[in-house]
Amino acid sequence: MKSILDNRPALAKQVNDVAEVAGYLWQKGWAERNGGNITINITDLIDDEIKNMKPISDVIQIGRQLPNLKGRYFFCKGTNKRMRDLARWPMENGSVIRILDDCSSYVIIADNPVKPTSELASHLSMHNYLIGRGSTYKAAVHTHPIDLVAMTHNPAFLEKDVLTNLLWSMIPETRAFCPRGLGIIPYKMPSSFELADATIKELEEYDVVMWEKHGVCSVGEDVMEAFDMIDTLSKSAQIYLTAKSMGFEPTGTTQEQMKELKEAFNLPK
Ligand code: 2HA
Ligand code: ZN
């Protein structure tokens, strides 16, 4: 079958990276059934031939106006599609969409009329926010990491920056490679605009945000970077719970040691 990826190695690489990350999410047990979603802004890779491609869907409303998305293109995991299937067959379980000039609707242009993720409101709101702030970030990943979600069932961990500091203190890597920490968003209805708005508000301060009792959302330059930050935080959560299950409270690195890392790595916080 003809694919938009044919003879477009840069675009194919982006989609293959999404598929690779989708496989990791499944292997980690973070992506039950259709859980989680990935979107990437591929506008920079769009040529004239793609711009002229006819829609393969009706016009679909986003439900809000996202002024920075006019004429932009995204590869999106499909709604109700399994992450484990996206890993093997990305173009059957995801699609390329074009945002129309009204900035509040889109069409699917390739390869199959797979309707994008149920969390499209949050994903597109995040991309709209990132573009507005002049960011070069292109990827948004949402997934359900067991350890991190479990931690949100403890109200003490929902206070601002409590989890960030705890997770940073488990291993220096997390301090260095998730340097803006983990924002916390109180429970909200999945797929809602309320959740989307809370998410972009937290992105002002964090690259990874936690949706209480649901999952995390991460943004980055590319899908690998967005994944790596979640993976690093999850590693810290694993160290914490391994220590706890050995029967003791982990001491954590000291504030002094974390400050030293901040200076050595020139970290933003
Ligand atoms: O796409 O994870 O939050 C399935 C979900 C919704
Ligand atoms: Zn989810």
Side-chain angles (χ1 to χ4, degrees):
M1 190 197 142
K2 224 167 105 46
S3 169
I4 192 172
L5 305 184
D6 294 344
N7 303 314
R8 292 193 178 94
L11 187 57
K13 159 100 174 67
Q14 291 297 313
V15 172
N16 285 339
D17 282 355
V18 168
E20 186 176 326
V21 166
Y24 299 154
L25 300 181
W26 165 249
Q27 285 157 16
K28 285 188 161 286
W30 298 351
E32 71 292 342
R33 198 176 177 275
N34 62 321
N37 23 75
I38 304 176
T39 56
I40 48 168
N41 179 350
I42 53 170
T43 312
D44 289 349
L45 304 173
I46 297 304
D47 51 47
D48 287 343
E49 195 186 332
I50 298 179
K51 283 186 187 144
N52 290 323
M53 281 171 72
K54 297 268 174 295
I56 55 169
S57 74
D58 291 337
V59 173
I60 306 169
Q61 298 300 320
I62 300 168
R64 63 169 29 177
Q65 253 219 327
L66 297 166
N68 303 326
L69 298 190
K70 183 174 174 172
R72 308 251 177 189
Y73 291 78
F74 297 88
F75 176 75
C76 309
K77 172 184 173 280
T79 187
N80 259 316
K81 299 294 185 189
R82 293 177 175 86
M83 212 46 101
R84 63 182 190 264
D85 291 339
L86 186 72
R88 292 177 295 176
W89 307 296
M91 297 310 283
E92 280 77 38
N93 293 278
S95 56
V96 174
I97 65 168
R98 172 194 296 140
I99 309 292
L100 301 182
D101 286 353
D102 63 5
C103 303
S104 61
S105 61
Y106 66 89
V107 288
I108 303 168
I109 60 158
D111 283 345
N112 296 292
V114 173
K115 192 162 183 244
T117 159
S118 61
E119 298 289 3
L120 195 67
S122 280
H123 279 256
L124 292 183
S125 298
M126 288 190 280
H127 288 291
N128 184 67
Y129 166 76
L130 291 169
I131 293 165
R133 133 182 140 184
S135 168
T136 51
Y137 284 11
K138 297 284 189 293
V141 173
H142 162 60
T143 187
H144 302 164
I146 302 165
D147 38 26
L148 293 169
V149 175
M151 291 177 108
T152 70
H153 288 262
N154 174 6
F157 288 156
L158 301 177
E159 298 295 323
K160 185 172 168 63
D161 291 336
V162 170
L163 262 187
T164 293
N165 277 299
L166 177 73
L167 297 169
W168 275 353
S169 79
M170 288 297 105
I171 180 170
E173 264 71 7
T174 304
R175 178 73 188 92
F177 298 120
C178 190
R180 283 162 38 102
L182 180 63
I184 305 284
I185 299 177
Y187 184 84
K188 298 205 170 15
M189 184 66 191
S191 314
S192 64
F193 284 116
E194 206 192 351
L195 180 58
D197 289 339
T199 303
I200 55 174
K201 176 98 195 38
E202 287 297 287
L203 289 186
E204 288 170 17
E205 192 177 340
Y206 305 94
D207 284 337
V208 190
V209 301
M210 172 59 83
W211 295 347
E212 181 191 339
K213 298 177 187 133
H214 177 168
V216 294
C217 225
S218 168
V219 293
E221 293 286 342
D222 55 44
V223 68
M224 291 294 170
E225 188 185 270
F227 167 76
D228 282 337
M229 283 188 287
I230 305 172
D231 192 29
T232 308
L233 289 165
S234 167
K235 166 59 71 73
S236 276
Q238 285 291 317
I239 294 168
Y240 176 78
L241 90 85
T242 304
K244 292 288 270 188
S245 65
M246 287 191 272
F248 62 88
E249 185 72 26
T251 52
T253 53
T254 63
Q255 289 297 324
E256 190 53 40
Q257 288 164 336
M258 287 201 272
K259 193 161 156 277
E260 201 178 66
L261 284 169
K262 173 176 156 56
E263 280 151 22
F265 284 80
N266 198 18
L267 302 174
K269 271 188 188 169

